[in-house]
Amino acid sequence: MNFDYDLFVVGGGSGGVRAARVAATEVGAKVGLAEEDRYGGTCVIRGCVPKKLMVYASDFSRQLEDSVAFGWIVKHDGFDWQKFRRKLHLELDRLEAVYRSLLNNAGVETYDHRAKLLDSNTVKVGEKTFTARTILIATGGRPFRPNIPGIENALVSDDIFNMEKLPKSMAIIGGGYIACEMASIMNGLGVETKLIYRGDQILRGFDKEVRDHVAAEMVKNGVSICLNTDVTEINVTEAGLELTKSNGKKENFDKVLAATGRTPNSNDLGLDSSDIKIGKTGEILVDKYSKSSNGSVYAIGDVTNRSNLTPIAIREATSFIDTVFRDNPSRLDYRFIPTAVFTAPEVGTVGLTEEEASELGPLEIYSTKFKSMREGFAGREDRVFMKLIVEQKNQKVLGCHFVSPIAGELVQLAAVAVTMGATKLDFDRTIAVHPTISEELVTMRKPTRRT
Ligand code: NDP
Protein backbone atom coordinates (compact mmCIF):
# COMPACT_ATOMS: atom_id res chain seq x y z
CA MET A 1 0.00 0.00 0.00
CA ASN A 2 1.22 3.50 -0.78
CA PHE A 3 1.19 5.97 2.10
CA ASP A 4 1.48 9.76 2.01
CA TYR A 5 4.24 9.52 4.62
CA ASP A 6 6.60 6.90 5.98
CA LEU A 7 6.26 8.56 9.36
CA PHE A 8 3.75 11.05 10.72
CA VAL A 9 4.67 12.60 14.06
CA VAL A 10 2.01 14.13 16.30
CA GLY A 11 3.68 16.72 18.54
CA GLY A 12 6.60 19.08 17.95
CA GLY A 13 8.37 18.88 21.31
CA SER A 14 11.81 17.48 22.09
CA GLY A 15 10.93 13.84 21.33
CA GLY A 16 8.78 14.43 18.25
CA VAL A 17 11.18 16.85 16.60
CA ARG A 18 14.16 14.54 17.18
CA ALA A 19 12.33 11.53 15.72
CA ALA A 20 11.14 13.52 12.69
CA ARG A 21 14.58 14.99 11.95
CA VAL A 22 16.48 11.73 12.32
CA ALA A 23 13.93 9.85 10.20
CA ALA A 24 14.12 12.48 7.45
CA THR A 25 17.84 13.14 7.41
CA GLU A 26 19.42 9.85 8.44
CA VAL A 27 17.12 7.19 7.04
CA GLY A 28 15.61 9.12 4.15
CA ALA A 29 12.01 8.73 5.31
CA LYS A 30 9.22 11.00 4.09
CA VAL A 31 8.02 12.66 7.27
CA GLY A 32 5.09 14.86 8.28
CA LEU A 33 4.68 16.50 11.68
CA ALA A 34 1.74 18.31 13.26
CA GLU A 35 2.00 20.72 16.18
CA GLU A 36 -0.98 22.81 17.24
CA ASP A 37 0.96 25.02 19.66
CA ARG A 38 4.54 26.26 19.62
CA TYR A 39 7.44 24.19 18.32
CA GLY A 40 9.87 23.06 21.00
CA GLY A 41 7.19 21.78 23.37
CA THR A 42 7.24 21.89 27.14
CA CYS A 43 11.03 21.87 27.49
CA VAL A 44 11.75 24.81 25.24
CA ILE A 45 8.62 26.94 25.58
CA ARG A 46 7.30 26.45 29.12
CA GLY A 47 9.67 24.17 30.99
CA CYS A 48 13.39 23.48 31.22
CA VAL A 49 14.66 26.43 29.15
CA PRO A 50 12.67 29.35 30.62
CA LYS A 51 12.96 27.75 34.06
CA LYS A 52 16.76 27.56 33.83
CA LEU A 53 16.93 31.18 32.68
CA MET A 54 14.87 32.07 35.74
CA VAL A 55 17.27 30.04 37.90
CA TYR A 56 20.13 32.16 36.55
CA ALA A 57 18.15 35.37 37.11
CA SER A 58 17.28 34.45 40.68
CA ASP A 59 20.82 33.39 41.56
CA PHE A 60 22.11 36.93 40.97
CA SER A 61 20.51 38.13 44.20
CA ARG A 62 22.81 35.79 46.08
CA GLN A 63 25.83 36.62 43.94
CA LEU A 64 25.26 40.33 44.45
CA GLU A 65 25.18 39.80 48.22
CA ASP A 66 28.26 37.59 48.17
CA SER A 67 30.21 39.94 45.93
CA VAL A 68 30.23 42.46 48.77
CA ALA A 69 32.01 39.92 50.98
CA PHE A 70 34.58 39.56 48.21
CA GLY A 71 35.29 43.28 48.22
CA TRP A 72 32.96 44.60 45.52
CA ILE A 73 31.07 47.81 46.01
CA VAL A 74 27.65 47.10 44.59
CA LYS A 75 24.68 49.38 44.18
CA HIS A 76 21.52 48.05 42.62
CA ASP A 77 17.83 48.84 42.53
CA GLY A 78 16.34 45.37 42.61
CA PHE A 79 15.04 43.10 39.92
CA ASP A 80 13.07 44.26 36.86
CA TRP A 81 10.71 41.38 36.06
CA GLN A 82 9.23 43.05 32.95
CA LYS A 83 12.68 43.57 31.47
CA PHE A 84 13.66 39.97 32.17
CA ARG A 85 10.35 38.64 30.84
CA ARG A 86 10.66 40.58 27.58
CA LYS A 87 14.14 39.18 27.01
CA LEU A 88 13.02 35.70 28.03
CA HIS A 89 10.23 35.67 25.44
CA LEU A 90 12.54 36.97 22.72
CA GLU A 91 14.84 34.05 23.51
CA LEU A 92 11.94 31.58 23.38
CA ASP A 93 10.85 33.05 20.02
CA ARG A 94 14.40 32.61 18.75
CA LEU A 95 14.53 29.00 19.92
CA GLU A 96 11.16 28.21 18.41
CA ALA A 97 12.37 29.59 15.08
CA VAL A 98 15.43 27.35 15.35
CA TYR A 99 13.21 24.31 15.88
CA ARG A 100 11.07 25.21 12.89
CA SER A 101 14.05 25.73 10.63
CA LEU A 102 15.65 22.46 11.77
CA LEU A 103 12.52 20.65 10.65
CA ASN A 104 12.24 22.56 7.39
CA ASN A 105 15.91 22.06 6.57
CA ALA A 106 15.50 18.36 7.23
CA GLY A 107 12.66 18.24 4.70
CA VAL A 108 9.97 17.45 7.28
CA GLU A 109 6.55 18.75 6.15
CA THR A 110 5.03 20.58 9.10
CA TYR A 111 1.42 21.45 9.87
CA ASP A 112 0.45 23.99 12.52
CA HIS A 113 -2.71 22.14 13.51
CA ARG A 114 -3.98 19.59 15.94
CA ALA A 115 -3.81 16.04 14.58
CA LYS A 116 -6.22 13.24 15.37
CA LEU A 117 -5.99 9.57 14.55
CA LEU A 118 -8.76 8.30 12.29
CA ASP A 119 -7.36 4.77 12.16
CA SER A 120 -4.03 2.92 12.55
CA ASN A 121 -2.54 4.62 9.48
CA THR A 122 -4.58 7.79 9.02
CA VAL A 123 -4.43 11.18 10.69
CA LYS A 124 -6.69 14.16 10.29
CA VAL A 125 -4.74 17.41 10.45
CA GLY A 126 -6.95 20.48 10.34
CA GLU A 127 -9.11 19.88 7.26
CA LYS A 128 -6.63 17.51 5.61
CA THR A 129 -6.25 13.76 5.93
CA PHE A 130 -2.96 11.90 5.52
CA THR A 131 -1.93 8.28 5.59
CA ALA A 132 1.33 7.09 7.13
CA ARG A 133 3.04 3.71 7.45
CA THR A 134 3.94 4.57 11.05
CA ILE A 135 2.43 7.17 13.38
CA LEU A 136 4.40 8.47 16.35
CA ILE A 137 2.56 10.20 19.18
CA ALA A 138 4.78 12.60 21.13
CA THR A 139 2.26 15.01 22.59
CA GLY A 140 3.84 15.41 26.04
CA GLY A 141 1.90 16.34 29.14
CA ARG A 142 0.20 19.24 30.84
CA PRO A 143 -0.03 20.51 34.41
CA PHE A 144 -2.49 18.71 36.68
CA ARG A 145 -4.70 20.69 39.05
CA PRO A 146 -5.96 18.74 42.07
CA ASN A 147 -9.59 18.82 43.05
CA ILE A 148 -9.47 21.64 45.62
CA PRO A 149 -12.27 24.23 45.80
CA GLY A 150 -10.94 27.42 44.21
CA ILE A 151 -7.99 25.71 42.48
CA GLU A 152 -8.88 27.59 39.26
CA ASN A 153 -7.46 30.67 41.00
CA ALA A 154 -4.03 29.07 41.23
CA LEU A 155 -1.37 29.43 38.59
CA VAL A 156 0.25 26.38 37.01
CA SER A 157 3.86 26.27 35.84
CA ASP A 158 2.92 27.35 32.28
CA ASP A 159 1.59 30.64 33.70
CA ILE A 160 4.75 31.60 35.59
CA PHE A 161 6.60 32.80 32.51
CA ASN A 162 3.71 35.09 31.52
CA MET A 163 3.06 36.80 34.86
CA GLU A 164 2.52 40.54 34.39
CA LYS A 165 4.44 41.34 37.56
CA LEU A 166 6.21 39.51 40.30
CA PRO A 167 3.97 38.83 43.29
CA LYS A 168 5.00 39.92 46.77
CA SER A 169 4.19 36.51 48.16
CA MET A 170 3.53 33.08 46.70
CA ALA A 171 2.32 29.77 48.10
CA ILE A 172 3.44 26.74 46.13
CA ILE A 173 1.47 23.53 46.50
CA GLY A 174 3.46 20.33 45.94
CA GLY A 175 6.86 18.94 46.84
CA GLY A 176 8.21 17.63 43.52
CA TYR A 177 10.62 19.01 40.95
CA ILE A 178 8.56 22.02 39.87
CA ALA A 179 7.41 23.02 43.36
CA CYS A 180 10.94 22.95 44.77
CA GLU A 181 12.58 24.65 41.80
CA MET A 182 9.94 27.39 41.66
CA ALA A 183 10.20 27.91 45.42
CA SER A 184 13.94 28.54 45.13
CA ILE A 185 13.53 30.74 42.06
CA MET A 186 10.78 32.90 43.57
CA ASN A 187 12.69 33.20 46.83
CA GLY A 188 15.80 34.27 44.93
CA LEU A 189 13.82 36.90 43.05
CA GLY A 190 12.67 38.38 46.34
CA VAL A 191 9.18 36.87 46.56
CA GLU A 192 8.12 35.73 50.03
CA THR A 193 7.71 32.03 49.28
CA LYS A 194 6.01 29.22 51.14
CA LEU A 195 6.03 25.66 49.87
CA ILE A 196 3.13 23.58 51.17
CA TYR A 197 3.48 19.84 50.77
CA ARG A 198 1.25 17.00 51.91
CA GLY A 199 4.11 14.55 52.63
CA ASP A 200 6.66 14.43 55.41
CA GLN A 201 9.59 15.61 53.27
CA ILE A 202 9.96 17.23 49.84
CA LEU A 203 11.25 15.40 46.74
CA ARG A 204 9.70 11.99 47.34
CA GLY A 205 11.70 9.31 45.55
CA PHE A 206 15.08 10.97 46.12
CA ASP A 207 17.57 9.72 48.73
CA LYS A 208 16.27 10.44 52.24
CA GLU A 209 19.45 12.24 53.39
CA VAL A 210 19.46 14.29 50.19
CA ARG A 211 15.85 15.32 50.78
CA ASP A 212 16.53 16.33 54.38
CA HIS A 213 19.67 18.23 53.45
CA VAL A 214 18.27 20.19 50.51
CA ALA A 215 15.12 21.07 52.46
CA ALA A 216 17.22 22.43 55.33
CA GLU A 217 19.40 24.42 52.93
CA MET A 218 16.37 25.86 51.12
CA VAL A 219 14.99 26.99 54.46
CA LYS A 220 18.37 28.54 55.34
CA ASN A 221 18.13 30.46 52.08
CA GLY A 222 14.72 31.86 52.97
CA VAL A 223 12.08 29.47 51.60
CA SER A 224 9.41 28.56 54.12
CA ILE A 225 8.48 24.85 53.94
CA CYS A 226 5.28 23.59 55.48
CA LEU A 227 5.10 19.76 55.53
CA ASN A 228 2.31 17.24 56.24
CA THR A 229 -0.20 19.84 55.11
CA ASP A 230 -2.92 19.80 52.48
CA VAL A 231 -4.54 22.86 51.00
CA THR A 232 -8.29 22.44 51.34
CA GLU A 233 -9.62 25.66 49.79
CA ILE A 234 -8.48 28.75 47.90
CA ASN A 235 -10.63 31.89 48.07
CA VAL A 236 -10.25 35.19 46.28
CA THR A 237 -10.19 38.09 48.74
CA GLU A 238 -9.37 41.78 48.51
CA ALA A 239 -5.90 40.99 49.83
CA GLY A 240 -5.24 38.40 47.14
CA LEU A 241 -5.77 34.69 47.68
CA GLU A 242 -6.77 33.17 50.99
CA LEU A 243 -5.60 29.66 51.36
CA THR A 244 -7.08 27.25 53.93
CA LYS A 245 -4.81 24.49 55.16
CA SER A 246 -5.76 21.07 56.52
CA ASN A 247 -5.07 22.27 60.10
CA GLY A 248 -7.85 24.82 59.57
CA LYS A 249 -5.48 27.81 59.51
CA LYS A 250 -5.87 30.45 56.80
CA GLU A 251 -3.11 32.43 55.13
CA ASN A 252 -3.06 35.12 52.44
CA PHE A 253 -0.80 35.20 49.42
CA ASP A 254 -0.60 37.32 46.27
CA LYS A 255 -0.37 34.20 44.12
CA VAL A 256 -0.71 30.45 44.52
CA LEU A 257 1.07 27.99 42.25
CA ALA A 258 -0.24 24.45 41.88
CA ALA A 259 2.85 22.35 41.18
CA THR A 260 1.04 19.11 41.71
CA GLY A 261 2.26 16.92 38.86
CA ARG A 262 1.50 16.53 35.19
CA THR A 263 -0.97 14.52 33.11
CA PRO A 264 -0.17 12.87 29.77
CA ASN A 265 -1.70 14.66 26.76
CA SER A 266 -3.58 11.70 25.32
CA ASN A 267 -7.11 13.08 25.22
CA ASP A 268 -8.84 14.31 22.09
CA LEU A 269 -6.33 12.57 19.82
CA GLY A 270 -8.89 10.11 18.49
CA LEU A 271 -7.55 7.35 20.73
CA ASP A 272 -10.91 6.58 22.40
CA SER A 273 -12.24 4.86 19.33
CA SER A 274 -8.96 3.08 18.57
CA ASP A 275 -7.44 -0.12 19.92
CA ILE A 276 -4.64 1.86 21.58
CA LYS A 277 -4.55 1.07 25.28
CA ILE A 278 -4.41 3.91 27.78
CA GLY A 279 -3.30 3.57 31.42
CA LYS A 280 -4.84 4.94 34.63
CA THR A 281 -3.22 8.37 34.43
CA GLY A 282 -4.01 8.79 30.73
CA GLU A 283 -0.62 7.51 29.56
CA ILE A 284 -0.36 5.63 26.27
CA LEU A 285 0.73 2.11 27.18
CA VAL A 286 3.73 1.02 25.14
CA ASP A 287 6.16 -1.89 25.11
CA LYS A 288 9.90 -1.53 25.67
CA TYR A 289 10.29 -0.46 22.03
CA SER A 290 7.68 2.32 22.47
CA LYS A 291 5.10 0.40 20.40
CA SER A 292 1.48 0.88 21.46
CA SER A 293 -1.10 -1.90 21.43
CA ASN A 294 -1.61 -0.99 17.76
CA GLY A 295 1.36 -2.21 15.67
CA SER A 296 1.69 0.89 13.51
CA VAL A 297 1.32 3.48 16.28
CA TYR A 298 4.22 4.28 18.61
CA ALA A 299 4.48 6.79 21.46
CA ILE A 300 7.42 8.43 23.21
CA GLY A 301 8.07 11.04 25.90
CA ASP A 302 5.77 12.34 28.62
CA VAL A 303 2.61 11.04 26.94
CA THR A 304 3.82 7.56 27.95
CA ASN A 305 4.58 8.70 31.53
CA ARG A 306 7.71 6.55 31.86
CA SER A 307 10.45 8.95 32.93
CA ASN A 308 9.29 12.47 32.14
CA LEU A 309 12.59 14.09 31.27
CA THR A 310 13.65 15.76 28.01
CA PRO A 311 16.79 13.67 27.45
CA ILE A 312 14.71 10.53 27.90
CA ALA A 313 12.17 11.63 25.27
CA ILE A 314 15.08 12.32 22.91
CA ARG A 315 16.65 8.90 23.55
CA GLU A 316 13.28 7.22 23.15
CA ALA A 317 13.02 8.98 19.78
CA THR A 318 16.35 7.61 18.55
CA SER A 319 15.57 4.11 19.86
CA PHE A 320 12.25 4.30 18.01
CA ILE A 321 14.03 5.21 14.76
CA ASP A 322 16.55 2.37 15.21
CA THR A 323 13.75 -0.10 15.86
CA VAL A 324 11.33 0.92 13.13
CA PHE A 325 13.53 2.38 10.38
CA ARG A 326 16.90 0.71 10.86
CA ASP A 327 15.69 -2.80 11.61
CA ASN A 328 17.72 -2.67 14.82
CA PRO A 329 15.34 -3.16 17.77
CA SER A 330 16.66 -0.85 20.43
CA ARG A 331 15.43 -0.01 23.91
CA LEU A 332 16.44 2.37 26.61
CA ASP A 333 18.16 1.38 29.84
CA TYR A 334 16.18 3.31 32.44
CA ARG A 335 18.44 2.25 35.35
CA PHE A 336 21.00 5.06 35.32
CA ILE A 337 19.16 8.27 34.63
CA PRO A 338 21.06 11.23 36.00
CA THR A 339 18.84 14.08 37.02
CA ALA A 340 19.11 17.48 38.64
CA VAL A 341 16.69 19.59 40.60
CA PHE A 342 17.53 23.25 40.12
CA THR A 343 16.84 24.35 43.65
CA ALA A 344 19.22 26.59 45.61
CA PRO A 345 21.39 24.62 46.26
CA GLU A 346 20.91 22.17 43.41
CA VAL A 347 20.42 18.43 43.72
CA GLY A 348 22.25 16.14 41.32
CA THR A 349 21.73 12.43 41.45
CA VAL A 350 22.45 9.26 39.49
CA GLY A 351 21.77 5.64 40.29
CA LEU A 352 20.10 4.26 43.38
CA THR A 353 19.09 5.95 46.59
CA GLU A 354 20.26 4.33 49.81
CA GLU A 355 16.72 3.12 50.41
CA GLU A 356 16.59 1.41 46.98
CA ALA A 357 20.13 0.03 47.17
CA SER A 358 19.57 -1.49 50.61
CA GLU A 359 17.22 -4.00 48.94
CA LEU A 360 20.22 -5.43 47.08
CA GLY A 361 22.29 -6.33 50.15
CA PRO A 362 24.92 -4.86 52.46
CA LEU A 363 26.21 -1.40 51.56
CA GLU A 364 28.99 0.98 52.40
CA ILE A 365 27.87 4.58 52.59
CA TYR A 366 30.39 7.34 52.06
CA SER A 367 29.13 10.81 52.76
CA THR A 368 30.45 14.22 53.58
CA LYS A 369 29.01 17.57 54.60
CA PHE A 370 31.13 20.68 54.45
CA LYS A 371 31.19 24.40 53.93
CA SER A 372 32.68 25.23 50.53
CA MET A 373 35.51 27.72 50.24
CA ARG A 374 33.35 30.26 48.39
CA GLU A 375 30.39 30.04 50.76
CA GLY A 376 32.68 30.19 53.79
CA PHE A 377 34.42 33.33 52.55
CA ALA A 378 31.06 34.92 51.79
CA GLY A 379 30.03 34.29 55.39
CA ARG A 380 27.26 31.86 54.54
CA GLU A 381 26.26 28.86 56.59
CA ASP A 382 25.44 26.70 53.53
CA ARG A 383 26.76 23.17 53.52
CA VAL A 384 27.51 20.90 50.57
CA PHE A 385 26.39 17.28 50.87
CA MET A 386 27.81 14.37 48.89
CA LYS A 387 27.06 10.71 49.10
CA LEU A 388 28.29 7.56 47.43
CA ILE A 389 26.41 4.32 47.83
CA VAL A 390 28.66 1.31 47.37
CA GLU A 391 27.68 -2.35 47.21
CA GLN A 392 29.81 -4.17 49.81
CA LYS A 393 30.26 -7.44 47.94
CA ASN A 394 31.78 -6.02 44.74
CA GLN A 395 32.51 -2.37 45.68
CA LYS A 396 30.36 -1.11 42.78
CA VAL A 397 29.16 2.47 43.11
CA LEU A 398 25.39 2.12 42.88
CA GLY A 399 24.45 5.73 43.49
CA CYS A 400 26.02 9.15 43.61
CA HIS A 401 24.26 12.18 45.08
CA PHE A 402 25.15 15.84 45.41
CA VAL A 403 23.45 18.77 47.11
CA SER A 404 25.62 21.70 46.15
CA PRO A 405 26.02 24.64 43.79
CA ILE A 406 26.21 23.35 40.19
CA ALA A 407 25.24 19.83 41.28
CA GLY A 408 23.58 19.42 37.88
CA GLU A 409 26.93 19.94 36.18
CA LEU A 410 28.76 17.67 38.62
CA VAL A 411 26.39 14.76 38.34
CA GLN A 412 26.60 14.65 34.54
CA LEU A 413 30.27 13.66 34.83
CA ALA A 414 29.79 11.33 37.79
CA ALA A 415 27.04 9.65 35.75
CA VAL A 416 29.60 8.48 33.18
CA ALA A 417 31.49 6.58 35.90
CA VAL A 418 28.37 5.16 37.55
CA THR A 419 26.86 4.10 34.20
CA MET A 420 30.15 2.37 33.30
CA GLY A 421 29.95 0.38 36.53
CA ALA A 422 32.82 2.10 38.33
CA THR A 423 33.90 0.70 41.69
CA LYS A 424 34.90 2.64 44.77
CA LEU A 425 38.52 1.80 43.90
CA ASP A 426 38.07 3.61 40.56
CA PHE A 427 36.95 6.68 42.47
CA ASP A 428 39.84 6.29 44.95
CA ARG A 429 42.51 6.09 42.27
CA THR A 430 41.14 9.15 40.47
CA ILE A 431 43.27 12.16 41.31
CA ALA A 432 41.48 15.11 42.85
CA VAL A 433 41.15 18.44 41.09
CA HIS A 434 42.06 21.02 43.68
CA PRO A 435 40.55 23.27 44.95
CA THR A 436 37.05 22.25 43.86
CA ILE A 437 33.86 21.12 45.52
CA SER A 438 33.76 17.84 43.62
CA GLU A 439 37.26 16.73 44.68
CA GLU A 440 35.59 15.41 47.84
CA LEU A 441 34.00 12.75 45.67
CA VAL A 442 37.38 11.04 45.21
CA THR A 443 38.80 11.70 48.67
CA MET A 444 36.22 9.99 50.89
CA ARG A 445 38.34 7.10 52.18
CA LYS A 446 36.41 5.57 55.08
CA PRO A 447 32.76 4.61 54.95
CA THR A 448 30.52 6.77 57.11
CA ARG A 449 28.66 3.58 57.92
CA ARG A 450 28.06 0.04 56.77
CA THR A 451 24.53 -1.26 56.49
P1 NDP B 1 6.26 15.69 40.46
O1 NDP B 1 5.64 14.38 40.19
O2 NDP B 1 7.74 15.79 40.56
O3 NDP B 1 5.65 16.28 41.81
C1 NDP B 1 4.28 16.44 41.97
C2 NDP B 1 4.06 16.88 43.41
O4 NDP B 1 2.69 17.21 43.58
C3 NDP B 1 4.39 15.81 44.41
O5 NDP B 1 5.02 16.41 45.50
C4 NDP B 1 3.02 15.26 44.77
O6 NDP B 1 2.94 14.75 46.08
C5 NDP B 1 2.17 16.50 44.70
N1 NDP B 1 0.77 16.20 44.43
C6 NDP B 1 0.26 15.40 43.48
N2 NDP B 1 -1.08 15.37 43.56
C7 NDP B 1 -1.42 16.18 44.58
C8 NDP B 1 -2.66 16.54 45.17
N3 NDP B 1 -3.81 16.06 44.70
N4 NDP B 1 -2.63 17.38 46.22
C9 NDP B 1 -1.46 17.85 46.71
N5 NDP B 1 -0.25 17.53 46.19
C10 NDP B 1 -0.24 16.71 45.14
O7 NDP B 1 5.66 16.65 39.35
P2 NDP B 1 6.07 18.09 38.88
O8 NDP B 1 4.80 18.68 38.38
O9 NDP B 1 6.87 18.81 39.89
O10 NDP B 1 7.00 17.78 37.65
C11 NDP B 1 6.53 16.92 36.62
C12 NDP B 1 7.66 16.13 36.04
O11 NDP B 1 8.40 16.97 35.17
C13 NDP B 1 8.67 15.64 37.06
O12 NDP B 1 8.31 14.43 37.65
C14 NDP B 1 9.91 15.49 36.22
O13 NDP B 1 9.87 14.25 35.59
C15 NDP B 1 9.76 16.62 35.21
N6 NDP B 1 10.55 17.80 35.61
C16 NDP B 1 11.91 17.70 35.61
C17 NDP B 1 12.70 18.75 35.96
C18 NDP B 1 14.18 18.60 35.96
O14 NDP B 1 14.68 17.67 35.36
N7 NDP B 1 14.91 19.49 36.63
C19 NDP B 1 12.11 20.05 36.35
C20 NDP B 1 10.68 20.04 36.34
C21 NDP B 1 9.95 18.96 35.97
P3 NDP B 1 3.39 13.24 46.44
O15 NDP B 1 4.88 13.22 46.39
O16 NDP B 1 2.84 13.03 47.79
O17 NDP B 1 2.76 12.36 45.40
Side-chain angles (χ1 to χ4, degrees), residues 51 146 175-178 181 197-198 204 259-262 308-309 340:
K51 179 277 305 288
Y177 278 85
I178 296 178
E181 290 182 345
Y197 175 48
R198 63 184 178 182
R204 183 165 63 82
T260 40
R262 294 177 60 84
N308 299 333
L309 300 166

Side-chain angles (χ1 to χ4, degrees), residues 430-441:
T430 302
I431 293 170
V433 179
H434 184 71
T436 61
I437 290 176
S438 50
E439 68 180 297
E440 296 283 331
L441 198 63

